[in-house]
């Protein structure tokens, strides 16, 4: 009877974890679509090449902030999409643009220094990549990095989408299952 109960419990947990996996796949699929849409936006590609601060560019930065803000509305508070351009060393968040001299004002919210952030977004991969920021902590976020490529397939920027694990945990309500679950997250890798 005890063996049968354990077997039933394990089967129920496996079914539940499959449901969690489907929910996670759905959410990450939406984040991928948002990042891809933003990466292919013509305004993204033109703004990325601005290496100086001429007044004529300010309207384009404002327009691009608006595009990012609209994409963040689609994520509905479960995360945030930002753009980073190495040419102008700036981050566009949809609310503001942080330049190299005040980039730390943005990166502090991620628990990183400006240099760590630059290294984080400078991956040489030319396709989307998932990374867990601050694994095994309450501040854990799943980051999706999508390069912005020009017509010559050179990286001119990066779309960074952060999906907050806390919002996923609350939405999926996995709390009761964590203590005795047959599966666990090890070192933030899975």
């Amino acid at each position: 009877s005890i063996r049968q109960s354990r077997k039933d419990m394990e089967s129920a947990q496996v079914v539940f974890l499959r449901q969690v996996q489907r929910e996670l796949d759905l959410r990450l699929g939406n984040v991928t679509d948002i990042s891809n849409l933003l990466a292919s936006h013509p305004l993204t590609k033109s703004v990325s090449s601005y290496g100086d601060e001429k007044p004529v560019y300010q309207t384009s930065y404002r327009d691009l902030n608006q595009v990012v803000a609209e994409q963040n509305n689609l994520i509905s508070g479960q995360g945030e999409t930002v753009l980073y351009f190495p040419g102008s060393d700036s981050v566009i968040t949809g609310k503001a643009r942080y330049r190299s001299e005040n980039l730390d004002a943005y990166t502090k919210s991620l628990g990183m220094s400006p240099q760590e952030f630059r290294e984080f977004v400078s991956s040489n991969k030319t396709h989307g990549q998932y990374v867990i920021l601050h694994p095994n902590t309450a501040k854990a976020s799943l980051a999706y990095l999508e390069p912005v490529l020009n017509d010559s397939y050179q990286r001119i920027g990066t779309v960074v989408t952060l999906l907050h694990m806390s919002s996923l945990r609350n939405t999926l309500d996995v709390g009761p299952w964590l203590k005795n679950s047959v599966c666990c997250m090890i070192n933030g890798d899975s």
Side-chain angles (χ1 to χ4, degrees):
S1 176
I2 291 173
R3 264 192 222 131
Q4 185 60 41
S5 294
R6 278 191 187 151
K7 199 170 184 181
D8 291 345
M9 179 67 159
E10 287 180 5
S11 296
Q13 286 181 346
V14 169
V15 168
F16 180 75
L17 288 168
R18 285 190 183 134
Q19 179 186 348
V20 169
Q21 181 184 8
R22 280 192 298 274
E23 289 281 339
L24 195 56
D25 287 345
L26 181 64
R27 279 170 172 63
L28 294 181
N30 290 340
V31 169
T32 301
D33 292 344
I34 290 164
S35 292
N36 289 342
L37 176 63
L38 202 51
S40 64
H41 199 281
L43 194 56
T44 305
K45 295 185 177 182
S46 65
V47 165
S48 67
S49 61
Y50 300 163
D52 54 27
E53 299 300 325
K54 290 182 182 174
V56 69
Y57 297 148
Q58 300 311 309
T59 301
S60 294
Y61 282 122
R62 278 197 300 275
D63 290 345
L64 191 53
N65 257 322
Q66 183 61 39
V67 172
V68 175
E70 287 171 9
Q71 303 314 313
N72 281 331
N73 284 339
L74 294 175
I75 302 177
S76 304
Q78 294 180 348
E80 176 189 34
T81 293
V82 301
L83 291 172
Y84 174 73
F85 297 120
S88 56
D89 194 27
S90 60
V91 170
I92 293 175
T93 67
K95 296 174 184 169
R97 179 168 61 100
Y98 297 90
R99 295 175 242 179
S100 46
E101 59 267 19
N102 69 346
L103 193 59
D104 62 321
Y106 173 72
T107 60
K108 272 182 193 170
S109 67
L110 302 179
M112 306 170 100
S113 71
Q115 188 54 38
E116 288 171 328
F117 178 76
R118 289 181 191 105
E119 288 170 12
F120 171 66
V121 296
S122 67
S123 165
N124 291 326
K125 293 192 176 190
T126 54
H127 54 81
Q129 165 186 20
Y130 292 105
V131 181
I132 297 178
L133 279 182
H134 310 301
N136 301 321
T137 70
K139 294 181 178 180
S141 293
L142 182 64
Y144 180 71
L145 306 177
E146 179 73 29
V148 181
L149 306 175
N150 64 14
D151 295 335
S152 304
Y153 297 100
Q154 295 170 314
R155 177 190 288 267
I156 54 175
T158 305
V159 181
V160 181
T161 300
L162 298 168
L163 193 63
H164 305 309
M165 295 298 207
S166 58
S167 68
L168 279 176
R169 195 178 305 117
N170 293 339
T171 303
L172 299 172
D173 191 26
V174 298
W177 294 90
L178 292 179
K179 189 173 180 183
N180 299 311
S181 178
V182 294
C183 296
C184 64
M185 291 182 71
I186 301 171
N187 299 326
D189 295 330
S190 303

